[in-house]
Amino acid sequence: MSHTTREKSKLLSRVRRIRGQVEALERALEAERGCAEILQQIAAARGAINGLMLEVMEDHIETHLAGAQTTSAAERREGADELIEVMRTYLR
Amino acid sequence: MSHTTREKSKLLSRVRRIRGQVEALERALEAERGCAEILQQIAAARGAINGLMLEVMEDHIETHLAGAQTTSAAERREGADELIEVMRTYLR
Amino acid sequence: MSHTTREKSKLLSRVRRIRGQVEALERALEAERGCAEILQQIAAARGAINGLMLEVMEDHIETHLAGAQTTSAAERREGADELIEVMRTYLR
Amino acid sequence: MSHTTREKSKLLSRVRRIRGQVEALERALEAERGCAEILQQIAAARGAINGLMLEVMEDHIETHLAGAQTTSAAERREGADELIEVMRTYLR
């Protein structure tokens, strides 16, 4: 089972909180709130996405690379390639 | 008029696209899609939020700090304080 | 006078500390220290450069955009263009 | 042998280039060059450190987590802990 399935309820809670932040941002724009408030809302949503990203990357490492049950070199090879690809995008 | 009001339709388009990305991520988690796909979706949403952040910061600079009509030192002082506060959060 | 001239001694202290961190990293590689230690040294140097960047950007905003003496629209235009260019590189 | 030892000459070249960038920045400050030029130099040094960081993290994953010879669960556990620690610092 994938770690994003195993941790599904934890991750869905985080994603729904982020969706709530993005919806609040949309309402703030529609209501023509001040730009300082909107900048702070964007920064908060960005921080929440960064936190989610880090969480899923850590689960990925634990499951596919470090786990005691991860015995196959092929699984680790694939897990490493996926991690490195996202790190390259992320850490540009 | 605030720049987030002046640029309201442009910004709302971006925010709605980000909301769509977050909703797609939520559906992918519910459908128990693979972790590599989910990591890529999170990275894409993060990139879109970063782009929005940069856009609003640039509009903020143009309006409150650089604009030819920005004649008041008090307005520039306030605009600078807001910009620096968000930069400190963002560039930690 | 440019802010990087006005704040010269403060900025030189920071840059020399960063140079010291990079030299220590070079010595650690030559001495074949463990990879965990080297990763931590790189992360520390990166943090110090981020701090310097933020400091100079803030001085730039204060001097060319927010300063009570910044009366010319042309100066603010140029200062804003320089700031936005570096933000685009930085916040990719 | 540690990957930072195995890749020593490649990493030393990168670190020496970064040291050269930091020294050039120091000279630019001493020579009181313009702030726009100095901001660009800082951004370039930051980009080079980010590149080095990513390179060492990738080598770390290849060696301690994905490598065909990495047979011990204890080695992978330690490698994962080190990686996650630096990711938490890095991706704050």
Side-chain angles (χ1 to χ4, degrees):
Chain A
M1 203 207 303
S2 169
H3 54 90
T4 44
T5 299
R6 195 185 61 235
E7 304 292 348
K8 184 173 167 173
S9 74
K10 175 190 75 171
L11 298 175
L12 274 173
S13 297
R14 272 181 178 266
V15 170
R16 285 173 186 145
R17 204 172 329 128
I18 293 167
R19 176 160 57 79
Q21 289 176 299
V22 174
E23 287 167 352
L25 172 59
E26 193 176 338
R27 285 192 301 273
L29 281 167
E30 279 166 346
E32 307 189 351
R33 308 298 295 263
C35 58
E37 186 180 334
I38 283 169
L39 272 169
Q40 292 299 331
Q41 284 185 286
I42 298 172
R46 179 183 177 271
I49 290 226
N50 277 356
L52 172 66
M53 183 89 176
L54 192 54
E55 179 109 23
V56 177
M57 287 171 87
E58 287 189 24
D59 290 345
H60 190 86
I61 293 167
E62 293 296 341
T63 303
H64 300 299
L65 296 166
Q69 288 100 320
T70 317
T71 44
S72 137
E75 182 187 350
R76 288 188 278 117
R77 179 70 272 151
E78 191 185 347
D81 288 343
E82 291 163 350
L83 177 65
I84 288 170
E85 189 184 340
V86 88
M87 280 172 50
R88 283 187 184 152
T89 306
Y90 196 89
L91 304 177
R92 263 175 315 186
Chain B
M1 204 206 307
S2 169
H3 52 92
T4 45
T5 299
R6 195 184 63 234
E7 304 292 346
K8 183 174 169 173
S9 74
K10 176 188 76 172
L11 298 175
L12 273 173
S13 296
R14 273 181 177 266
V15 170
R16 285 173 186 145
R17 204 172 329 130
I18 292 167
R19 177 161 56 78
Q21 290 176 299
V22 174
E23 287 167 352
L25 172 59
E26 193 176 339
R27 285 192 303 271
L29 280 167
E30 280 167 345
E32 306 189 353
R33 307 298 296 261
C35 58
E37 185 179 335
I38 284 169
L39 272 169
Q40 291 300 331
Q41 284 186 287
I42 298 172
R46 178 184 178 272
I49 291 227
N50 277 356
L52 172 66
M53 182 89 174
L54 192 55
E55 178 107 23
V56 177
M57 288 171 88
E58 287 188 25
D59 289 345
H60 190 85
I61 293 167
E62 293 296 340
T63 304
H64 300 298
L65 296 166
Q69 288 100 320
T70 317
T71 43
S72 137
E75 182 188 349
R76 288 188 278 118
R77 179 69 270 151
E78 191 184 348
D81 288 343
E82 292 163 349
L83 177 65
I84 288 170
E85 188 184 342
V86 90
M87 279 172 50
R88 282 187 184 154
T89 307
Y90 195 91
L91 304 178
R92 260 177 318 188
Chain C
M1 203 206 306
S2 168
H3 53 91
T4 46
T5 299
R6 195 184 63 233
E7 303 292 348
K8 185 173 167 174
S9 74
K10 176 189 75 171
L11 297 175
L12 274 172
S13 297
R14 271 180 178 266
V15 170
R16 285 173 186 144
R17 204 173 328 128
I18 292 166
R19 176 160 55 77
Q21 289 175 299
V22 173
E23 287 166 353
L25 172 59
E26 194 176 338
R27 286 192 302 274
L29 281 167
E30 279 166 346
E32 306 189 351
R33 307 299 296 264
C35 58
E37 187 180 334
I38 284 170
L39 272 169
Q40 292 299 330
Q41 284 186 287
I42 298 172
R46 178 182 178 272
I49 291 226
N50 277 357
L52 172 66
M53 182 89 175
L54 191 54
E55 179 107 24
V56 177
M57 287 171 88
E58 287 188 24
D59 289 346
H60 190 85
I61 293 167
E62 293 296 341
T63 304
H64 300 298
L65 296 167
Q69 288 100 321
T70 316
T71 43
S72 138
E75 181 189 348
R76 289 187 278 119
R77 179 71 269 151
E78 191 185 349
D81 289 342
E82 292 162 350
L83 178 66
I84 288 170
E85 189 185 341
V86 89
M87 280 173 51
R88 284 187 182 153
T89 307
Y90 195 90
L91 305 178
R92 261 176 315 188
Chain D
M1 202 205 308
S2 168
H3 53 90
T4 45
T5 300
R6 195 185 62 234
E7 303 292 348
K8 184 173 168 175
S9 74
K10 176 189 75 171
L11 297 175
L12 274 173
S13 296
R14 272 181 178 266
V15 170
R16 285 174 186 143
R17 205 172 329 130
I18 292 166
R19 176 161 55 78
Q21 290 176 299
V22 174
E23 287 167 353
L25 172 59
E26 193 176 339
R27 286 192 301 274
L29 280 167
E30 280 166 346
E32 307 188 351
R33 307 298 296 262
C35 58
E37 186 180 334
I38 284 169
L39 272 170
Q40 291 300 330
Q41 284 185 286
I42 298 172
R46 178 182 178 272
I49 291 227
N50 277 356
L52 173 66
M53 182 90 176
L54 191 55
E55 179 107 22
V56 177
M57 288 171 87
E58 287 188 24
D59 290 345
H60 190 85
I61 293 167
E62 293 296 341
T63 303
H64 299 299
L65 297 167
Q69 287 101 320
T70 317
T71 43
S72 137
E75 182 188 349
R76 289 187 278 119
R77 179 71 270 150
E78 191 185 348
D81 289 342
E82 291 163 350
L83 178 65
I84 287 170
E85 189 185 341
V86 89
M87 279 173 50
R88 283 188 184 151
T89 307
Y90 195 92
L91 303 178
R92 260 177 317 188

